[in-house]
Amino acid sequence: MELESLLKKHFNYHSFKHGQKEVITSILSGSHTMAMLPTGTGKSLCYQLPAYLLEGQVLIVSPLLSLMQDQVEQLIIRGEKRVVALNSFLDKNERTQIFSRLDQYKFIFISPEMLSIDFVVHKLKQLNIALFVVDEAHCISQWGYDFRPDYMKLGTVREKLGNPLTLALTATATKEVVSDIIQSLNLEMWNEFIYSVDRPNISIRVESLESVVDKQKKLIELVSTLQGPGIIYFSSRRLAEEMVELLRGSGVQKVMAYHGGLDQESRILIQQQFLNGQLDFICATSAFGMGINKENVRFVIHYHMPLQLESYLQEIGRAGRDGKESIAILLYIAGDEQLPYQLAESELPNVKQIELCFKWILNCPDNLSNIADFEAELRILARLTDIQWRMIRDYLQSLNANELNLTKYMNEFKLFVEQRLNIKRDKINEITRWTNSIQCRREKILNYFDEQKKMDIRNCCDICGMDMQSFYKKENEAHSIDFQFHWKDYLQAMLTK
DNA sequence: CGTATTCCATTTACATGGAATACGGTGCAGTAAT
């Protein structure tokens, strides 16, 4: 077969993994393609192989700078030199240079934010874009509404680029997420490849506890007895840091915290140390995980519950990529769902803030023509975060300045925010119900993703019954090999690239 | 909502309890460029 020989030639693999060939064939037939492949199936091959059969450039929209840099590196290591990442890492000179010879690249990685700049789109338009790829496409649905609104503009961008052939890739997607992706990309006809989200080798367990002290004790007990390596997820940076100290105090040494508050260097370092086995445990926020491919993670513990089952599934999916038996444990105290509710609420502007803003604008003589002029003042006055301000600003900018009925618009905006909040609350309700349920954990998750549980699984979940012995450290376990890893050299290499 | 921190009054103690307040996640990004 032609595809297999290409696979051998460019990637040195002998056979495709589950789903890859179908997705690639679909693209090569010229159909827009929505592919949901389980974590660790080698999603990037789905656009990299077709790239060699298509005339023109492959444009890949990627959510994280680190992910882009990583993919670029991988391609370069494989001998593909025609690769570039368009992002804020480029300095002025590099940028000028690269934009002047964009057509010489085969693979162009880009952030959705960059794609919202007119100049960039103008430049891309002059290319022959053979394939428009949205990597981690669930970000559209998960982030696009508020956190990273440029994700919602990808459809418009696609149109400006002349509706190129499109591939959306993700590992987690409910029917709603899939339809969000299709809609916001403005796809009319497309092929869908949806595979099971189930990961039979991950046992699922909820530990109900009475108090914070119990929870901390339980965490220490688990981390010191379970077979590592493992990831512990928190919804608070401070707590992640504190638990590292607590674990160290209890004799767990090879543990570090990872969250968005750390500088880029520390994040790279800690991630690498975990990948190399110099760290056994990571206390992390949701900042940790996307694009991390560590095969032998044996457990994922949640100290706090995520804001939706989609996130939960993504996070526990980082365990057991090697197919070996692994465990996911959620530590739960009744009422824990209050933190997610609070996080969801504080992300959006509240009624008071909205009223304050509109009132202020109403009293402003030249109100909507130059929003940027009063940004600073208004933001301080209403104590708006970046995200809150952006939502308000984008809404104001969408208004027709000729017929200003601010009261009407304000109520419309309030309603819009209320609806977003209700969607977020529903998701939290869903995961809370799941936590408190007495039905098979796996079955309920699968049902949420519109699947049925098809087989009996050993050590399925705490409801079906499981033997915790399988997950404890083995006696006389050989200590993980310490690689001679010179982190200073590594960092130097990363930073001078 | 729940937890941790700060503030303040007490009846004069350098400490303590209770009230008020702050905090809680995810990331990209030209100051022109066609």
Side-chain angles (χ1 to χ4, degrees):
Chain A
M1 278 297 290
E2 194 194 357
L3 282 182
E4 268 82 2
S5 58
L6 268 167
L7 183 70
K8 178 82 182 105
K9 180 180 162 203
H10 288 285
F11 302 88
N12 203 24
Y13 293 139
H14 291 282
S15 63
F16 287 102
K17 288 191 191 169
H18 192 52
Q20 283 177 331
K21 193 172 179 181
E22 290 83 346
V23 173
I24 291 169
T25 309
S26 162
I27 295 164
L28 291 176
S29 77
S31 310
H32 300 313
T33 304
M34 163 81 232
M36 186 193 118
L37 300 170
T39 35
T41 325
K43 285 194 287 293
S44 47
L45 189 89
C46 294
Y47 62 81
Q48 289 181 2
L49 192 138
Y52 293 106
L53 294 167
L54 297 166
E55 281 287 324
Q57 287 79 25
V58 177
L59 185 67
I60 305 111
V61 183
S62 175
L64 301 180
L65 298 179
S66 58
L67 218 60
M68 279 187 228
Q69 300 299 101
D70 219 55
Q71 313 256 40
V72 167
E73 248 171 74
Q74 296 294 320
L75 279 162
I76 288 175
I77 289 171
R78 263 219 344 270
E80 177 56 70
K81 299 276 185 282
R82 300 166 298 164
V83 196
V84 72
L86 301 179
N87 57 41
S88 57
F89 283 175
L90 301 174
D91 65 35
K92 204 177 152 185
N93 287 337
E94 289 173 317
R95 196 199 309 269
T96 316
Q97 280 238 338
I98 288 168
F99 272 113
S100 70
R101 50 181 165 84
L102 263 188
D103 57 338
Q104 293 174 20
Y105 297 101
K106 185 77 191 172
F107 298 93
I108 302 173
F109 291 84
I110 194 164
S111 65
E113 285 78 10
M114 268 280 194
L115 270 180
S116 298
I117 299 169
D118 285 345
F119 169 75
V120 173
V121 174
H122 177 84
K123 280 295 192 185
L124 291 172
K125 249 164 123 172
Q126 294 165 1
L127 304 177
N128 172 23
I129 295 178
L131 187 59
F132 182 84
V133 182
V134 184
D135 199 9
E136 309 286 356
H138 60 275
C139 293
I140 292 178
S141 174
Q142 216 162 300
W143 285 351
Y145 288 102
D146 25 55
F147 184 50
R148 291 180 68 181
D150 292 306
Y151 260 106
M152 276 296 161
K153 301 178 189 157
L154 290 181
T156 319
V157 171
R158 259 197 81 243
E159 223 165 285
K160 285 184 192 162
L161 294 175
N163 297 311
L165 180 61
T166 297
L167 167 65
L169 291 167
T170 180
T172 6
T174 56
K175 273 184 184 156
E176 288 81 49
V177 173
V178 170
S179 88
D180 262 0
I181 293 171
I182 299 293
Q183 269 185 27
S184 58
L185 290 176
N186 292 334
L187 301 183
E188 282 178 0
M189 299 264 289
W190 68 93
N191 289 335
E192 226 172 87
F193 296 90
I194 310 276
Y195 294 88
S196 176
V197 296
D198 195 17
R199 300 278 305 282
N201 63 317
I202 303 175
S203 302
I204 307 171
R205 185 175 184 87
V206 176
E207 292 272 356
S208 284
L209 300 154
E210 293 301 317
S211 72
V212 176
V213 178
D214 286 354
K215 203 194 237 188
Q216 298 187 342
K217 277 187 193 156
K218 190 75 195 178
L219 181 66
I220 293 169
E221 178 202 315
L222 287 170
V223 175
S224 11
T225 52
L226 286 177
Q227 176 65 49
I231 305 169
I232 305 118
Y233 276 107
F234 298 82
S235 295
S236 151
R237 295 171 177 182
R238 190 177 47 79
L239 236 78
E241 302 264 10
E242 280 176 18
M243 288 311 296
V244 167
E245 292 309 317
L246 212 63
L247 285 166
R248 289 219 182 105
S250 313
V252 179
Q253 290 309 318
K254 291 154 82 180
V255 54
M256 288 287 270
Y258 182 105
H259 54 70
L262 302 175
D263 58 63
Q264 202 64 31
E265 290 175 30
S266 317
R267 286 176 69 159
I268 294 171
L269 176 63
I270 292 164
Q271 190 176 309
Q272 284 304 321
Q273 290 183 326
F274 185 61
L275 290 177
N276 288 318
Q278 291 162 302
L279 288 173
D280 287 335
F281 311 105
I282 297 273
C283 289
T285 62
S286 56
F288 186 78
M290 219 194 291
I292 290 183
N293 234 327
K294 187 173 169 66
E295 295 260 284
N296 63 339
V297 175
R298 291 276 72 86
F299 70 80
V300 172
I301 295 176
H302 279 81
Y303 185 91
H304 290 133
M305 63 200 280
L307 279 76
Q308 47 185 77
L309 276 170
E310 284 92 328
S311 314
Y312 185 67
L313 204 69
Q314 270 161 33
E315 287 163 5
I316 69 172
R318 283 158 196 151
R321 298 256 169 110
D322 53 10
K324 293 185 188 158
E325 202 165 40
S326 310
I327 185 167
I329 304 174
L330 171 65
L331 304 179
Y332 177 74
I333 305 171
D336 270 359
E337 58 277 13
Q338 293 309 326
L339 177 54
Y341 281 127
Q342 206 48 45
L343 283 171
E345 241 163 66
S346 60
E347 184 172 29
L348 305 169
N350 63 34
V351 173
K352 270 187 182 163
Q353 289 172 311
I354 296 171
E355 285 175 354
L356 214 145
C357 285
F358 276 83
K359 215 163 152 188
W360 198 90
I361 291 164
L362 199 64
N363 295 328
C364 186
D366 187 20
N367 34 37
L368 280 184
S369 53
N370 44 1
I371 292 173
D373 289 354
F374 54 79
E375 168 171 355
E377 205 173 331
L378 197 52
R379 279 194 54 176
I380 293 166
L381 194 70
R383 294 164 168 269
L384 296 166
T385 63
D386 282 2
I387 301 165
Q388 293 170 332
W389 166 247
R390 197 168 46 210
M391 279 184 80
I392 294 174
R393 188 199 59 197
D394 286 358
Y395 178 72
L396 291 174
Q397 281 174 342
S398 74
L399 296 178
N400 177 0
N402 293 325
E403 59 140 339
L404 273 182
N405 182 344
L406 279 176
T407 314
K408 188 187 102 189
Y409 288 144
M410 182 177 76
N411 289 329
E412 195 182 286
F413 184 64
K414 273 188 195 169
L415 197 68
F416 166 73
V417 171
E418 189 56 34
Q419 283 167 350
R420 282 305 311 158
L421 196 55
N422 281 336
I423 292 170
K424 286 168 185 269
R425 286 193 184 120
D426 284 348
K427 298 239 174 208
I428 299 167
N429 293 342
E430 196 74 45
I431 189 169
T432 308
R433 268 202 297 280
W434 175 82
T435 306
N436 289 310
S437 162
I438 48 163
Q439 275 179 51
C440 168
R441 309 274 178 208
R442 189 177 307 271
E443 187 171 21
K444 279 211 86 177
I445 289 186
L446 289 176
N447 293 349
Y448 180 70
F449 284 87
D450 305 298
E451 283 187 48
Q452 301 301 316
K453 185 180 169 189
K454 291 182 198 88
M455 46 181 172
D456 276 340
I457 290 168
R458 196 176 94 85
N459 282 337
C460 174
C461 66
D462 56 317
I463 307 282
C464 295
M466 61 197 292
D467 174 17
M468 283 298 285
Q469 286 306 321
S470 327
F471 306 103
Y472 293 137
K473 269 182 218 163
K474 312 288 175 277
E475 296 280 337
N476 306 320
E477 168 219 347
H479 280 285
S480 56
I481 307 144
D482 258 16
F483 288 90
Q484 278 295 313
F485 182 73
H486 301 290
W487 66 269
K488 281 185 178 165
D489 298 345
Y490 179 83
L491 258 186
Q492 193 59 36
M494 283 296 285
L495 295 170
T496 53
K497 203 166 282 165

